[in-house]
C-alpha cells in the first residue's frame, strides 16, 4: 500500500499501534437515549424553544461538574448524517444516519461500500493520527509521543497536503485554505488508503467477488463511489463562507484530492502523465 510504513521509528510506531489497540467504536445509537423530560417545546414559539433548549442544556452540563466522565455519551444524535473521532475518549462514532446511501447500501457491492462508508471509517481512524489527533496518546491525554525526527518528518509530509489543497481554486481567485483543512484532508487521504487496502483484503479472501459490473472493475467502482459521495450543490455565498470557516475542503476537491496521491488510482484507470489528473510522483503526499 502507498502508506510508507518505513518512515516512522519503532518507538513512534509502537505508540501509534498502542493507541490503535485502545480505539473503541460506537455504531448506530446509544444504549440509553437521552431524556428530554422537563424541556418544554411549543409549536408557536421558536425563540422561546431555542432559549429553553439552551437553558436545559446548560443545566445538564452544570449538573455534571465534578462527576465521572460518561464514556457511553454520544455527541451526535442517531439520525445525524455524520461521524466523528473523539481524541480524549479515543473513539470513533458512526450514527445510524450515515449508515444509509450514499454512504452505505446493502444492495451495492463491496467496492462501492468500501469506497464510501469504508473511507469514512478509515477517515475517522486517521483523525487519531492527523495534525491534531496525533498529539493525543492512547489514554486520550495531550502528550507528545512522537520522536522529534518522526514529528518533523510528519510535518514535512503534511506540508505536501497543504500545498496540494491550497492550489485548488473553489471560486475565481478564491482558493482552499490548505492549513485550515489539513486535518480533514489527511483523514481523507488515510481513510482512502485504509479502505482501498481493506477492499483488496476482502477480494483476496473471496476472489469470486472480483467482478466487473457495468464495465467497471472493483477498483474503478471504489474510486467512482468515493467521488460520487461528495457531490454537493452550494450557492456561491455558502461556498465562500465555507472556504473561510469549514475545516473540510469543498466536496469537489474531497472527491478527487485523495485519489491523485495514490498510485492505485492511476493504475485503476490507466491514467498517464498525458491526463490533466496526473500528479507527478514526487508531488504526491504519502502519510498514512
Ligand atoms: Zn473528519
Amino acid at each position: 500500500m502507498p502508506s510508507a510504513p518505513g518512515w516512522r521509528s519503532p518507538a513512534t510506531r509502537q505508540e501509534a499501534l498502542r493507541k490503535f489497540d485502545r480505539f473503541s467504536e460506537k455504531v448506530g445509537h446509544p444504549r440509553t437515549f437521552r431524556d428530554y423530560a422537563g424541556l418544554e417545546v411549543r409549536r408557536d414559539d421558536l425563540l422561546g424553544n431555542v432559549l429553553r433548549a439552551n437553558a436545559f442544556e446548560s443545566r445538564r452540563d452544570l449538573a455534571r461538574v465534578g462527576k465521572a466522565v460518561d464514556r457511553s455519551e454520544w455527541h451526535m444524535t442517531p439520525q445525524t448524517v455524520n461521524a466523528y473521532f473523539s481524541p480524549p475518549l479515543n473513539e470513533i462514532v458512526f450514527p445510524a444516519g450515515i449508515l444509509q446511501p450514499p454512504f452505505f447500501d446493502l444492495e451495492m457491492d463491496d467496492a462501492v461500500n468500501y469506497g464510501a462508508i469504508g473511507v469514512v471509517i478509515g477517515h475517522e481512524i486517521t483523525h487519531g493520527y492527523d495534525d491534531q489527533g496525533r498529539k493525543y496518546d492512547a489514554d486520550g491525554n495531550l502528550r507528545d509521543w512522537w520522536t522529534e525526527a518522526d514529528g518533523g518528518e510528519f510535518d514535512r509530509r503534511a506540508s505536501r497536503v497543504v500545498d496540494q489543497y491550497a492550489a485548488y481554486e473553489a471560486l475565481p481567485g478564491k482558493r482552499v485554505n490548505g492549513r485550515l483543512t489539513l486535518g480533514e484532508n489527511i483523514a481523507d487521504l488515510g481513510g482512502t488508503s485504509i479502505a482501498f487496502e481493506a477492499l483488496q483484503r476482502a477480494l483476496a479472501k473471496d476472489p469470486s467477488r472480483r467482478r466487473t459490473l457495468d464495465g467497471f472493475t472493483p477498483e474503478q467502482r471504489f474510486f467512482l463511489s468515493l467521488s460520487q459521495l461528495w457531490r454537493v450543490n452550494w450557492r456561491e455565498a455558502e461556498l465562500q463562507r465555507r472556504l473561510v470557516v469549514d475545516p473540510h475542503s469543498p466536496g469537489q476537491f474531497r472527491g478527487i484530492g485523495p485519489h491523485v496521491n495514490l498510485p492505485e488510482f492511476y493504475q485503476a484507470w490507466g491514467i498517464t502523465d498525458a491526463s490533466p489528473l496526473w500528479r507527478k510522483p514526487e508531488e504526491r503526499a504519502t502519510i498514512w
Side-chain angles (χ1 to χ4, degrees), residues 123 127 184 248:
H123 172 109
H127 269 317
E184 294 298 332
H248 303 86

Side-chain angles (χ1 to χ4, degrees), residues 182-197:
L182 179 60
E184 294 298 332
N185 297 332
I186 290 175
D188 278 348
L189 178 57
T192 305
S193 298
I194 291 170
F196 190 91
E197 180 169 344

Side-chain angles (χ1 to χ4, degrees), residues 97-116:
I98 202 168
L99 303 175
Q100 59 183 337
F103 290 95
F104 178 62
D105 190 346
L106 269 182
E107 306 287 308
M108 287 292 178
D109 81 297
D110 276 0
V112 172
N113 281 320
Y114 277 81

